[in-house]
Amino acid sequence: MYSGNQLREMFLRFFEAKQHRVLPSASLIPKDDPTLLLTVAGMVPFKPYFQRRIEPPFPRATTAQKCVRTPDLEIVGKTARHHTFFEMLGNFSFGDYFKTEAITWAWEFVTQTLELPAAILWVSIHPEDDEARKLWVEKAGVAPERVVVDASNFWAAGPVGPCGPCSEIYVDLGEQRGCGSPDCAIGCDCDRFLEIWNLVFMQYNRDEQGQLTTLPKQNIDTGMGLERIASVMQNVKSNFDTDLFVPIMDKVADIAGKKYGAQAKDDLALKVIADHSRAVSFMLADGIRPGNEGRGYVLRRILRRAIRYARLLGIEEPFLERVFQVIQRDYAHHYPELKENENFISSHLRIEEAGFQATLEQGTQILQEKVKDLRLSAQSVFAGADAFSLYETYGFPIELTVEMLAEQNITVDMPAFEQAAAEHRSQAKENSKSMRALAENRVWTEKIKEIGETGFRGYERQSLEGRVEGIFQEDRWLNEAAEGDEVLCILDQTPFYAESGGQVTDHGQLRSSQVEADVIGVSKELTGTIAHRLLIRRGILRTGEIVRLEVQAERRKAVSRHHSATHLLQEALRAVIGTHVQQAGSLVTPERLRFDFTHFSALTQEELQAVEDRLNAAVFANLPVNTIEMPMAEAKASGATALFGEKYADVVRVVRMGEQSKELCGGTHVRMTGEIGLVKILSEAGIGAGLRRIEAVAGREALASWRALEEQMQSVAALLKAQPADLNKRVGALLSQIKEAERDVQKLQTEIAKAEITELIAQVREVEGIKVLAAQVAAADMDSLRHMADMLRDKLQEGVIILGAASEGKVNWVTAVVPPGLSGLHAGNIIKEVAAITGGGGGGRPEMAQAGGKDPGKIGEAIAQAPKIVEKMKQK
């Protein structure tokens, strides 16, 4: 029996022997692909190669790719095969080998390396792919009767682009795993026939009219799920019973005091937690942070679902960090990021678990409030839309909502829940369509691939001549563009920096004797082509023309000052508050810098001052700023700081500032740190769980900030009729005066309250020998109403107090029974009947209770009925 780790290694070594480049898994964050939130298949990192947007640097590759998919989130754990996180083993050819090698090597690996008997294997092909049938039978040696057709065996990346037929290899797991039907075969919904490998033959290109033309270079893309093949080789019933999951489930079961296999309900929770824990660990390891949008929202949703299922097992304390340790132990040898980013992962797991506890309490409270409304209206069906809102907003699994409500004899409108979920999925699909970018425009991509890389000269020069290689507007390439047009322009070389790494784009001008244009934006494509967004001010711009390009020098200097200051800021933060600090994002503009970093508490004033002092000490030291290109491994070994979660090229640019700072960076910088001038931190604040943000200004902008503060101080001094140097003394005196005035107001309010209490006591009447005070009073909120009831209780000493007050269109009620248990009366029971008259409800303890109401117009009626309610309850 092979372990999951052995199977992964066997696959990679098999194809390495077939001259494939073994590559590490790409990040779960797709690079330069705005159409995807997450890496969902092994071929995703190679899309630019398959689409020929850039030329592949090697003809063959093989990977074990981390993938996350969430469309089937709700059924994870209920089936044998569905997961959020999974590993896709794949071999790829970029215009090199094709069907013959893909088919024969797949069969060789399955039957010879894995030694699966041919008698339990089946192959499916596309009905029109006679070539594949012939190769399976004649080259691979598959029995003809074991090759079946399947009309769905056709793969496409989208409505247009590369596509082609595919073949799938299936394992027959035996009649005992089937449905028992005599027609059971490949395609049946039961678990007997398990697809283990899909071979995609990208041989066509489909155009907008749906016409297929043969690609000049045909590609191979295959995918074998590691979890699936592990279940086959380990002869277990489901993926969850493999060694890829069992250690994780055992750890969770141990924490919960449960045993896997003892109860189906517990097994479901164990499977969900094991699956979701893997997804969360790997997503965090790739630098994805929990949030409220995008991939951060996907991560938070999976994580919270795991916590909710842990609650169903009785796990109330934080547990995910302990589960992560098992995942790290079993996977880090192949995925070192699990070890390298251990502190980041563990910290976020702790923070999210603690934060979700408060969210759960809020969600449970909302659920109970809606249950109260149902009770008041004598209904027993919970709205499906409300159930979906709890699921989507608070992470409540629908199973939990159903279970909690069942305990109160309330059912959920499941058809309405499914409809709300379907509408949400539909909206999500529409939103994803809007993410289509220029990179998906074939007219654009084919031309820039032909043009190729633009020579960037902006590190050395800010003015040069270049030749116009192409002009693009909307969906077409132009030979020329005229005054007033806004176009994208490609040149053979440029001094303009394209927006990247948090640094904003350069601005400037393009000129010749024939044209003048403003450069208002610059972007860099996958092909290395740099696109300039131009607004033509005068004349006509023509393809092939030689033009002069000039960067706005002062803007570039201001940006460079802020970028260099950002490097020094990161070094200062790591020195002052700890090396756990990692950059989580940045924005460098001419006006300011913004630096996001990992840290789990606000910086003290002393820490901020120490950071600012250290940063400016490096500025005043006037350190030399040098850049050098070197291999990534060498840069890493030298101690250069890299951006967490970023994937770098084999050769990287290192920016060094004396001995103070060394970072991987492609941005523009000052030549000496003294050129920065001065750096002033403006603010430090939290922007999410475990994330802080510093905003600062440098150089002239720092001077402008000081002047603005000075002007504010002068303005305040004028208002207070004081000198700036005396402001502290003057403000202190004013605060003392205000406090004295507040004490006088408090005394006056107390006297007014006493007078009001005296008036209310005069309204007491006896009912069946019990003093009853029922009155409508003026109270801004429930706290004020309770305080008034407490004062009356002290004054009355014995009796029943019922107070009602209108507040913001609603009604607040408070009832007190003094002393507790007087004549068997219960404050909670009294308040229920009184509040019901105003369309509300509530309850509480025998001695004190509160309630709400919806109709302030009926407070008087309720007050009039209150003594009768007390009389009726005393008689009972």
Side-chain angles (χ1 to χ4, degrees), residues 629-651:
E629 290 190 347
M630 63 176 69
M632 177 61 187
E634 184 182 333
K636 204 171 182 180
S638 74
T641 303
L643 180 61
F644 179 43
E646 182 71 14
K647 294 294 182 182
Y648 292 92
D650 293 336
V651 177

Side-chain angles (χ1 to χ4, degrees), residues 126 154-165 202-216 442 446:
H126 189 268
F154 195 90
W155 180 92
V160 297
C163 59
M202 278 189 239
Q203 63 190 88
Y204 302 117
N205 185 73
R206 182 157 51 195
D207 62 22
E208 287 81 356
Q209 287 72 44
Q211 296 296 315
L212 298 178
T213 55
T214 302
L215 287 168
R442 290 181 62 228
E446 289 176 5

